[in-house]
Amino acid sequence: MRISEFLSPEALIADLQASDKQAVLREMSAVLARAHPSLKEDRLVEVLREREKLGSTGIGEGVAIPHGKLPGLTNLVAAFGVSRQGVDFEAIDGKPTHLFFALVAPENSAGVHLKALARISRLFKNPRFRASILEATSAADIHALIVQEDARP
């Protein structure tokens, strides 16, 4: 599975404006809805918020992977955003979060959903890769970096 299969260039935000957790979820949902017009922004926000109620998806090292499952969705979709100032996302390490990868999967797709989460998590464990994303200034550059890193064996 490659991230480019479910992350389109249109679903990237090079400079998130959100300053708190709820605003991040709204901004990420908005870009997902724009990239996938059949999806409703309000429903996406609700799905991501429901998962956050179980515990923060801030995995530490400045990375969060808010995710959820949506009935009626036919394939995995994702959005990616960079917060230059950082947001308190209640990450497990207590540090501000800068890199957000929102993932929404079909309701009955546990295997695909887990593979995508594992793939994203593995990619973002690399400190050099995280730094290169933070240095990139455009959504196109960020997308290219993700695709390039994801293509490595």
Side-chain angles (χ1 to χ4, degrees), residues 69-149:
K69 293 185 179 178
L70 185 63
L73 190 63
T74 55
N75 57 323
L76 198 60
V77 295
F80 183 79
V82 178
S83 169
R84 304 292 167 187
Q85 72 275 11
V87 174
D88 177 1
F89 209 76
E90 302 165 5
I92 59 172
D93 62 2
K95 296 178 182 174
T97 303
H98 295 273
L99 306 174
F100 296 90
F101 213 115
L103 185 67
V104 181
E107 189 172 35
N108 299 314
S109 65
V112 171
H113 187 176
L114 292 174
K115 280 183 186 175
L117 286 170
R119 184 82 183 152
I120 294 163
S121 181
R122 187 189 66 74
L123 222 63
F124 284 89
K125 280 188 191 300
N126 180 337
R128 284 192 313 274
F129 174 62
R130 292 193 310 266
S132 69
I133 294 287
L134 287 169
E135 291 167 8
T137 56
S138 74
D141 289 346
I142 292 168
H143 189 263
L145 285 166
I146 292 171
V147 169
Q148 180 183 3
E149 186 70 17

Side-chain angles (χ1 to χ4, degrees), residues 43-77:
R43 186 67 182 108
L44 292 167
V45 171
E46 186 180 319
V47 164
L48 296 176
R49 281 184 179 159
E50 284 301 313
R51 171 57 188 82
E52 288 300 318
K53 286 179 185 175
L54 301 175
S56 178
T57 56
I59 62 173
E61 300 298 328
V63 178
I65 312 173
H67 59 278
K69 293 185 179 178
L70 185 63
L73 190 63
T74 55
N75 57 323
L76 198 60
V77 295

